[in-house]
């Protein structure tokens, strides 16, 4: 049985040029596993804490030297000597070391870097693909065979038009995505996606928009006059490559509504299309109107992260017709997903490793969601790297769906 011998951590840059944590986990037999931690921009209030050197002028306070030091000085001495295969014990040792509810002492970025690097090292020792190792860990964690964990390639959900915090507020909504719902294979899905992306670029240029300007995830970032125009343009691009919207292809939207929700007044303040101030019911009506008019198959964060009543109303209204996906709402944390199940708020869960901070807790969120008939979408962050762990996680967990950003820029394609 292989043993974790050492950890080496360092500060590297992510796709936005912001510092993040890279970790090498080295086994007693010399195998190395490497992981790089992603980072969000439109982060949920309830996410585990990403530790940054806020008081240092270096990288304008965005450095992660403290997180790196925590790995070398605090985590490494504690976990060196542990079995590489025993992910659950290693992760709980780090939770115990940290001792806070949101990982604010060591930093979720420090903890996740170690958690993932160890999984990569364990797979390297076994000479296995990462997804095979993750699948075994998931089956062990599940205990019973009440969840279907047969590895499966996911349906991609791919960013086409970006807005919100990812594209300078050009749109109120953050993400308009293409979903190749009728593709027979993953490669067919990918090819359709690339063709739609190219067709959409051509349409934007023809209409005089700045199609060359892309947002953080590689999606086009045109300054559109109103939010629904993004759906109209995507429908046009889908038709342009010979697909029938609704039958061959769907649209997904991540409204990231926490970003335009005013917590004090409880209202949703939309700026595009002349400006609107909506209460929760009116926001549900707006979303329902979009579902009536466009081939929308999935709505992520249609409402704000603490608007539970709104989510319940939204699920009552649209839950049988479309996927209602909680990102900021659930932050990959089992307790919040449980509340969603009990209240019937949402019917699907976005899975982001760094929202919770360890592989084992991410497994628990996935397993809980799957056991309670909530669909799962494994997701990238807007700040990514060449680390492709989420692709393996999506396959290993039989999640069925993956959200990676656009089909442009290497950190999305890795
Ligand atoms: P984030 O965006 O990584 O900036 O949070 C991705 C998303 O909202 O899904
Ligand atoms: Zn989101």
């Amino acid at each position: 049985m292989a043993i974790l011998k050492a950890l080496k951590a360092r500060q590297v840059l992510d796709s936005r040029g912001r510092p993040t944590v890279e970790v090498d986990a080295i086994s007693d037999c010399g195998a190395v596993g490497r992981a790089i931690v992603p980072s969000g921009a439109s982060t949920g209030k309830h996410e585990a804490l990403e530790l940054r050197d806020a008081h240092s002028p270096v990288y304008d306070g965005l450095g992660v030297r403290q997180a790196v030091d925590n790995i070398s000085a605090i985590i490494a001495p504690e976990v060196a000597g542990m079995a590489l295969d025993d992910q659950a014990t290693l992760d709980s040792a780090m939770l115990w070391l940290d001792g806070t509810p949101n990982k604010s002492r060591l930093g979720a970025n420090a903890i996740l870097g170690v958690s993932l690097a160890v999984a990569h090292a364990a797979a390297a020792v076994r000479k296995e693909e990462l997804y095979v190792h993750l699948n075994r860990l998931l089956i062990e964690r599940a205990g019973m065979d009440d969840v279907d964990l047969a590895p499966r390639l996911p349906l991609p959900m791919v960013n086409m038009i970006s807005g919100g915090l990812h594209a300078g507020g050009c749109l109120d909504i953050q993400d308009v995505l293409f979903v190749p719902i009728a593709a027979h294979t993953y490669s067919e899905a990918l090819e359709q996606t690339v063709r739609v992306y190219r067709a959409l670029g051509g349409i934007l240029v023809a209409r005089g928009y700045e199609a060359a300007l892309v947002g953080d995830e590689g999606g086009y970032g045109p300054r559109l006059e109103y939010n629904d125009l993004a759906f109209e343009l995507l429908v046009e691009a889908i038709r342009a490559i010979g697909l029938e919207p609704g039958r061959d292809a769907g649209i997904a939207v991540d409204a990231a509504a926490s970003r335009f929700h005013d917590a004090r007044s409880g209202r949703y303040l939309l700026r595009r299309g002349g400006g609107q101030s909506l209460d929760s019911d009116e926001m549900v009506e707006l979303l329902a109107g979009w579902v009536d008019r466009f081939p929308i198959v999935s709505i992520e964060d249609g409402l704000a992260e603490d608007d539970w009543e709104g989510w319940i109303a939204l699920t009552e209204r649209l839950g049988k017709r479309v996927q209602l996906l909680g990102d900021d709402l659930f932050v990959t944390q089992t307790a919040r997903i449980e509340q969603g199940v009990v209240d019937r708020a949402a019917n699907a869960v976005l899975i982001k490793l760094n929202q919770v901070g360890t592989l084992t807790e991410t497994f628990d969120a996935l397993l809980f969601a799957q056991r309670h008939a909530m669909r799962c979408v494994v997701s990238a962050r807007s700040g990514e790297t060449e680390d492709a762990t989420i692709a393996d996680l999506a396959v290993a967990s039989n999640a069925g769906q993956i959200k990676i950003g656009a089909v442009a820029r290497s950190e999305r394609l890795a």
Side-chain angles (χ1 to χ4, degrees), residues 174 254 300-301 327 350 352 403:
Q174 180 179 287
D254 180 2
E300 180 180 333
D301 284 355
D327 172 12
L350 199 78
K352 290 170 167 170
K403 184 182 169 206

Side-chain angles (χ1 to χ4, degrees), residues 164-188:
L165 282 182
H166 295 172
C170 283
L171 277 180
D172 296 299
I173 52 178
Q174 180 179 287
D175 231 341
V176 176
L177 308 99
F178 172 72
V179 193
I181 47 175
H184 295 99
T185 61
Y186 187 83
S187 51
E188 190 186 341

Side-chain angles (χ1 to χ4, degrees), residues 135-286:
N135 180 249
R136 184 186 317 100
L137 292 177
L138 266 157
I139 289 171
E140 276 171 26
R141 188 74 183 166
M144 298 175 285
D145 58 1
D146 58 338
V147 185
D148 179 4
L149 291 167
R152 178 162 61 119
L153 282 169
L155 176 69
M157 179 187 275
V158 180
N159 178 234
M160 294 284 150
I161 295 180
S162 295
L165 282 182
H166 295 172
C170 283
L171 277 180
D172 296 299
I173 52 178
Q174 180 179 287
D175 231 341
V176 176
L177 308 99
F178 172 72
V179 193
I181 47 175
H184 295 99
T185 61
Y186 187 83
S187 51
E188 190 186 341
L190 198 57
E191 197 248 350
Q192 287 179 357
T193 305
V194 170
R195 289 179 65 212
V196 170
Y197 183 79
R198 289 165 58 90
L200 180 60
I203 290 168
L204 290 170
V205 171
R207 301 263 184 110
Y209 294 110
E210 319 80 344
L213 301 179
V214 299
D216 286 358
E217 298 191 354
Y220 301 118
R223 186 167 286 281
L224 301 179
E225 290 76 10
Y226 50 99
N227 289 301
D228 334 10
L229 185 51
F231 305 129
E232 292 173 20
L233 291 164
L234 182 50
V235 163
E236 203 178 316
I238 290 167
R239 289 220 168 92
I241 70 152
L243 297 180
E244 181 55 33
R247 187 193 64 195
D248 307 322
I251 292 179
V253 53
D254 180 2
S258 305
R259 302 289 86 75
F260 52 82
H261 181 252
D262 176 44
R264 251 180 312 154
S265 63
R267 299 186 77 82
Y268 293 88
L269 307 177
L270 295 153
R271 286 185 300 167
R272 294 277 111 187
Q276 275 173 299
S277 163
L278 307 178
D279 66 19
S280 203
D281 291 342
E282 291 166 334
M283 190 65 208
V284 170
E285 280 311 308
L286 179 75

